[in-house]
């Protein structure tokens, strides 16, 4: 039997045919041109049919759809970057392709993929933190995905700086305002403006702005302004990771997303050192493993396809 995983992103839609070993056998993708939820459901069903190829629907055990927002049952409660609220997406999808469907948060799908076949394989308690425009999270506790009522795992919205940077959620000082790509770029631009003779400033002028990769590249070349930014970013990331470790004591916590690809000596190593030094478990000699996620963009598709096995 096979399963289909669909990853709904803010700019692209991707579907993959997945076997029980977590291997993606075929992929289809298309840009997101959102008009209505009904049209989106049809596009997603068409993508599923494309990756099925000559397979009969009887050969498909399940379809999982990863959504960048809050879901409950077969409904999208809301999404942050796509204008959908209270949408019965499962029912709309099944009008076009009548297969069993599970909707899940996209970070939960990444957690499921990494848990089953990546950095969390063989564990019982696993956390993934995804670093992108915001900070997402997925929690596998006791071998099961922890979703709460609808929105568990929104780790980016714990406050680490009371009264700090405003956050899109309506609070101020949320972790994702500091430990996301958005937060990193804000700090990088501030440092570039304050240090006119820095490599960071030069890159910003030449590129018309900064991104996460260029900031870490400048730091890797020894630019003092960039090094200060990446050191502060790593500390902000570490504060939140240590909070999660202290609360949930996972066997493994994995960092995913584009920023996780930064050089280890600038991000992963200082993160590991901070958690080792400040986690509460140090008092009894218990130190969780903090690692990079292993599956890259495949985690969302594989996890969506097989997430129903963890519910």
């Amino acid at each position: 039997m096979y399963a289909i995983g669909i990853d709904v992103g803010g700019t692209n839609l991707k579907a993959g045919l997945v076997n029980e070993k977590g291997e993606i056998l075929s992929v289809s993708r298309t840009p997101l041109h959102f008009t209505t939820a009904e049209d989106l459901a049809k596009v997603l069903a068409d993508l599923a049919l494309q990756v099925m190829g000559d397979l009969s629907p009887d050969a498909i055990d399940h379809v999982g759809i990863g959504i960048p927002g809050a879901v409950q049952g077969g409904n999208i409660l809301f999404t942050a970057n796509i204008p959908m609220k209270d949408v019965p997406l499962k029912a709309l999808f099944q009008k076009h392709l009548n297969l069993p469907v599970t909707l899940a948060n996209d970070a939960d799908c990444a957690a499921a993929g990494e848990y089953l076949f990546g950095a969390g394989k063989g564990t019982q308690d696993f956390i993934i933190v995804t670093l992108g425009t915001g900070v997402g999270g997925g929690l596998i506790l006791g071998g099961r995905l922890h979703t709460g009522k609808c929105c568990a795992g929104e780790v980016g919205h714990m406050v680490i700086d009371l009264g700090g940077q405003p956050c899109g959620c309506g609070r101020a000082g949320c972790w994702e305002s500091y430990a996301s790509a958005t937060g990193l770029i804000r700090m990088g631009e501030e440092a570039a403006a304050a240090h006119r003779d820095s490599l960071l400033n030069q890159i910003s002028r030449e590129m018309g702005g900064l991104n996460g990769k260029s900031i870490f590249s400048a730091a890797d070349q020894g630019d003092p302004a960039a090094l200060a930014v990446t050191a502060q970013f790593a500390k902000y990331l570490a504060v939140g990771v240590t909070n999660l470790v202290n609360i949930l004591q996972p066997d493994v916590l994995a960092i995913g997303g584009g920023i996780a690809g930064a050089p280890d000596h600038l991000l992963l190593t200082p993160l590991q050192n901070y958690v080792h030094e400040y986690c509460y478990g140090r008092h009894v000699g218990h130190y969780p493993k903090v690692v990079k996620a292993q599956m890259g963009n495949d985690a969302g598709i594989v996890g969506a396809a097989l997430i129903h096995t963890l519910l």
Side-chain angles (χ1 to χ4, degrees), residues 34-97:
F34 184 82
T35 53
T36 67
E38 290 80 3
D39 286 344
L40 175 65
K42 184 179 186 311
V43 171
L44 298 182
D46 287 344
L47 284 174
L49 287 167
Q50 288 171 26
V51 299
M52 284 168 58
D54 296 330
L55 289 174
S56 162
D58 292 339
I60 306 300
D61 180 61
H62 212 88
V63 177
I65 305 175
I67 302 292
V71 302
Q72 188 175 52
N75 301 316
I76 297 175
L77 301 182
F78 71 91
T79 55
N81 298 314
I82 307 170
M84 287 190 290
K85 186 174 183 179
D86 298 325
V87 172
L89 188 67
K90 175 180 177 178
L92 294 175
F93 181 95
Q94 288 176 327
K95 287 182 179 179
H96 305 284
L97 186 57

Side-chain angles (χ1 to χ4, degrees), residues 182 184 264 269:
T182 307
L184 173 62
D264 285 356
T269 299

